[in-house]
């Protein structure tokens, strides 16, 4: 937790949470199911391959009670999701009232639904079969769904099936979204 807090306090444009490069890059991540590090020739880089059902996942932090304390509003995942398979992202965020809010983004959801403590959002329009930067505006989701303000992101969990290259947060809207109005 201290490492992430130190990085956030530095005030950089982004904070890297995960990169498939280097020695044991997923050491801080809880892994379950069929998760393996492979070399992807198409992008000439190491990636983590998550195959299987919803039980296959990578989660940071390992212990959900620790929390990441990430304050930047945009979460970006560099990933590739194959055609015809399920894919999920779960985010646990704390708002300024110290309420824990869960955000479930899934290819299985068809409609938006929410309760006072969680929301389910569909990922039906996500591009599949190629590498993408999936940018999630956590601050906007907390504001529009829960009528509150984001304090911090505490947990990130990616569930199969996908290839995952990087995960990072950004202070400002990523430049690749500016032309799309996102």
């Amino acid at each position: 937790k201290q490492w992430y807090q130190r990085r956030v306090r530095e005030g950089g444009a982004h904070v890297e949470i995960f990169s498939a490069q280097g020695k044991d890059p997923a050491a801080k991540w809880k892994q379950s199911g069929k998760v393996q590090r492979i070399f992807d020739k198409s992008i000439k880089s190491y990636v983590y391959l998550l195959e299987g059902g919803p039980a296959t996942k990578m989660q940071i932090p390992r212990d959900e009670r620790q929390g990441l304390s990430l304050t930047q509003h945009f979460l970006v995942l560099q990933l590739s999701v194959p055609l015809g398979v399920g894919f999920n992202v779960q985010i646990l965020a704390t708002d300024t009232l110290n309420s824990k809010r869960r955000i479930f983004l899934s290819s299985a959801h068809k409609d938006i639904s929410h309760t006072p403590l969680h929301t389910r959002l569909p990922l039906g329009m996500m591009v599949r079969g190629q590498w993408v930067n999936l940018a999630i505006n956590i601050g906007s989701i907390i504001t529009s769904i829960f009528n509150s303000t984001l304090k911090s992101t505490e947990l990130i969990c990616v569930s199969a099936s996908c290839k995952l290259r990087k995960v990072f947060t950004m202070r400002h809207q990523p430049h690749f979204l500016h032309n799309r109005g996102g």
Side-chain angles (χ1 to χ4, degrees), residues 11-25:
H14 74 280
V15 175
E16 187 172 278
I17 309 304
F18 170 76
S19 172
Q21 310 309 307
K23 182 182 176 188
D24 200 12

Side-chain angles (χ1 to χ4, degrees), residues 37-163:
R37 185 177 180 215
I38 63 167
F39 187 81
D40 187 314
K41 292 178 184 175
S42 70
I43 59 169
K44 300 177 183 162
S45 178
Y46 282 100
V47 300
Y48 272 76
L49 176 63
L50 289 79
E51 290 182 306
T56 300
K57 58 180 80 173
M58 290 179 66
Q59 172 186 301
I60 190 165
R62 282 181 177 272
D63 182 355
E64 192 172 317
R65 295 170 291 173
Q66 287 181 336
L68 295 172
S69 300
L70 299 167
T71 59
Q72 296 181 337
H73 286 218
F74 290 90
L75 175 66
V76 181
L77 296 93
Q78 289 183 348
L79 52 79
S80 176
V81 178
L83 296 169
V85 297
F87 171 73
N88 305 295
V89 177
Q90 180 185 154
I91 300 162
L92 177 62
T94 302
D95 64 16
T96 52
L97 301 173
N98 287 323
S99 295
K100 303 273 188 202
R101 312 290 186 168
R102 286 197 187 270
I103 302 167
F104 297 97
L105 298 108
S106 176
S107 60
H109 300 320
K110 302 296 181 211
D111 298 311
I112 296 172
S113 66
H114 63 89
T115 69
L117 298 178
H118 78 271
T119 187
R120 296 182 185 278
L121 303 172
L123 284 174
M125 305 255 324
M126 192 171 108
V127 176
R128 292 173 174 260
Q130 67 184 35
W131 286 93
V132 297
N133 288 318
L134 176 61
I136 303 165
N137 186 340
I138 301 169
S140 177
I141 293 171
I142 296 295
T143 300
S144 61
I145 301 285
F146 300 111
N147 198 25
S148 192
T149 304
L150 175 68
K151 178 180 175 183
S152 61
T153 299
E154 303 299 336
L155 176 135
I156 303 163
C157 183
V158 179
S159 299
S161 291
C162 71
K163 292 180 183 175

